Structure formats: C-alpha cells, structure tokens
Amino acid sequence: MPELPEVEALAQFLREHAVGAVVGRVDVGALSAVKTFDPPVTALSGRDVTGAGRWGKFLGMECGDLWLITHLSRGGWLRWIDEPSPTPPRPGGKSPLALRVHFFTPEGATPAFDLTEAGTKKRLAVYVVHEPAQVPGIARLGPDALEVTESAFAELLHGASQRLKTALVDQTLIAGIGNAYSDEILHAAKLSPFANTATLSAERTAELYEAMRAILTDAVTRSVGQDAARLKGEKRSGMRVHARTGQPCPVCGDTVREVSYAERSFQYCPTCQTGGKILADRRMSRLLK
C-alpha cells in the first residue's frame, strides 16, 4: 500500500509533470472506483492543472476550482505514460485500469496518467470535489505524521488506549502511516507492536515520536524525485523488518518474525522489540506466556 512517503513523492511528481498542462479526455475504466457524481469526472476536461497535494495517504490534483482526489488503497498505483493510446479503454473486465487522465502540455506533448489496481474488484477510490475536505476520508484524518508536534502526539497516543501497532495505522489518530512503515517505526523505537499506548512512559513515547519522524523523513528523502515507476522498489529497498520474514534483523541478527491476522501480517524482531519473546502467530495473537 502506498503510504505517506510514496504519496508525497507522487504529489511532487505531479507538480513537476502535470502542473501547467491542460486536462484532456478522462477515461473511466472502472465505474465502481468513482465515488462522486457531481461534479462528474468529465468536468475536469479543459481545465488547467494548478497544483497537487497530499492528505495522509490521499493524493490530489488541483484543476482550477476542482480537485481530483484518489486513495490508492492496498494495491493501487499511479502510472505516468508519455505516449498513451488514443483509443479509449473499455470499462469493466479484468483490466487493471481504474481511471486515465490525458493532458496537453505547453510543449505540445500529450501524456497521461493511469490509476491502476489489479483484480476485478477496485478498492482504489476516486473523487471529484470542490474542496479536499469534502472527501469523507480526508475529513476524518488526524494530524499528519510529519506535522504533528511531539506534545500532541503524546496526548493522542495516551488517550487512545490501544496497541501501538493499531494506533500507528489509525488514520483518524495519526495520518499517513500504514502497515509497512509502522513495522519500521516500531523496530527503530525498539517497541513491541502489542505494547499499550496508555501505559507507554514519557521517555518511550518521545523515542517513538523521534523514530516516526526519522523513518518517514528518510523515506520521503529517498522517494521524492524518483520516477513514479520506481517508487515501489525504493520503498522495499529501505525496509529493515517489514516483508522480511525469516531473514536476519540488520541490527541484531535475530530472525525476523511475522504475525498474521485477518488479511494482513506484520513483521518484527524479537530481540530488538519484545525482549526475545515470540508473538503468537494467530488471528487473536498475544504474547506467549
């Protein structure tokens, strides 16, 4: 899933490649991905692209007084195409295409970008709104993970009274962190995913805040400026524990472990994070006694 660093990099990519262009035709490949109907997506055609932004894990392109907002969900992505096919795609079917936006640039080029997601069921969501806050998911967001102050972070965390892993990925609490970077943040802070936010000491809370800032800032630095097609690879290359089950921890050499639950899983290092204890790998997992 694209998280704060990748979405920030995509926003910067749009600022560099789309701002100044005029929106041409907008092709809808998956009707289910479009969550608004007034204004319609066709209202974007003919408008100048004036900006791009990010709200948590939401990506937006400003077109005058309208915004095209997308949430890429778990498997969605933005793909830039320098020479798109002039033939409109056929909606439905097994195509990964959810939406294609064509452009006319001042230099006379006609690029486009595709919003894609594999599979017939599109979780990726697209909105056309006058203000970003009209998107329900944006309206519910907590403060951005790179903008929240340390004192506000501590207050939010201690008031949540839930597991650290759950709190970090709760977008209404702190916006922008998903499954991958929460694993990395907790590993850097040497904290168990199952530690409770309400009982975390002031010292450990400060360490968690600093780890969050460091991990995300480093990831943004590595991601911004990358071609959109390379961002996924850049994200994977920077991971120390996430998606590294069975591999040695780069800090202590212990084996990285995994806990699976529902449709997801997370990874951690027992030596670095849980005092050597192995977390039970079952849906309602807890520390083994």
Side-chain angles (χ1 to χ4, degrees):
M1 174 189 289
E3 301 177 37
L4 184 157
E6 295 78 47
V7 179
E8 182 62 36
L10 289 173
Q12 183 60 33
F13 184 89
L14 290 179
R15 294 182 193 112
E16 295 173 356
H17 292 78
V19 169
V22 176
V23 178
R25 195 178 73 234
V26 180
D27 300 324
V28 177
L31 290 172
S32 61
V34 182
K35 306 303 180 183
T36 53
F37 63 91
D38 185 20
V41 292
T42 53
L44 297 168
S45 298
R47 293 175 180 266
D48 294 333
V49 180
T50 51
R54 176 190 63 80
W55 303 265
K57 293 184 283 185
F58 287 84
L59 173 67
M61 183 175 72
E62 185 180 23
C63 303
D65 64 345
L66 290 181
W67 283 89
L68 173 66
I69 307 283
T70 183
H71 190 286
L72 296 169
S73 190
R74 292 180 63 183
W77 198 245
L78 182 149
R79 186 167 66 98
W80 186 264
I81 309 168
D82 288 321
E83 297 181 0
S85 170
T87 304
R90 186 170 60 183
K94 297 182 179 180
S95 170
L97 180 67
L99 192 82
R100 175 174 293 160
V101 180
H102 295 261
F103 300 99
F104 299 102
T105 72
E107 297 77 23
T110 56
F113 72 65
D114 285 356
L115 297 177
T116 63
E117 185 178 10
T120 55
K121 184 178 181 180
K122 298 290 186 288
R123 297 182 180 181
L124 178 154
V126 176
Y127 310 82
V128 179
V129 292
H130 289 284
E131 297 291 341
Q134 292 177 312
V135 176
I138 292 178
R140 293 193 296 266
L141 289 177
D144 192 84
L146 281 181
E147 296 177 1
V148 65
T149 64
E150 185 174 341
S151 59
F153 176 78
E155 184 177 352
L156 288 167
L157 210 63
H158 293 155
S161 189
Q162 56 187 333
R163 290 171 172 173
L164 283 179
K165 175 70 179 183
T166 304
L168 287 178
V169 299
D170 183 349
Q171 300 303 295
T172 65
L173 198 68
I174 302 291
I177 304 171
N179 193 36
Y181 286 109
S182 59
D183 284 354
E184 297 298 299
I185 291 165
L186 290 170
H187 179 258
K190 299 185 182 302
L191 286 167
S192 169
F194 288 163
N196 193 284
T197 60
T199 58
L200 204 63
S201 69
E203 181 181 1
R204 299 313 305 274
T205 301
E207 291 171 353
L208 179 60
Y209 178 79
E210 289 304 319
M212 177 183 73
R213 296 277 305 179
I215 291 293
L216 294 178
T217 299
D218 176 69
V220 169
T221 300
R222 288 186 290 106
S223 299
V224 169
Q226 292 280 349
D227 184 271
R230 299 179 181 177
L231 282 173
K232 289 184 180 180
E234 182 61 40
K235 178 179 181 178
R236 287 192 294 268
S237 70
M239 296 295 166
R240 297 190 294 181
V241 292
H242 182 75
R244 290 174 55 89
T245 303
Q247 299 182 43
C249 168
V251 174
C252 70
D254 194 3
T255 301
V256 173
R257 304 279 182 161
E258 176 177 296
V259 170
S260 300
Y261 61 103
E263 297 180 351
R264 302 189 181 186
S265 63
F266 67 80
Q267 289 76 40
Y268 68 100
C269 170
T271 295
C272 291
Q273 297 176 251
T274 62
K277 294 182 179 180
I278 308 299
L279 301 178
D281 184 16
R282 57 181 182 269
R283 188 171 181 177
M284 296 301 290
S285 48
R286 60 183 181 272
L287 283 174
L288 290 174
K289 301 298 184 180

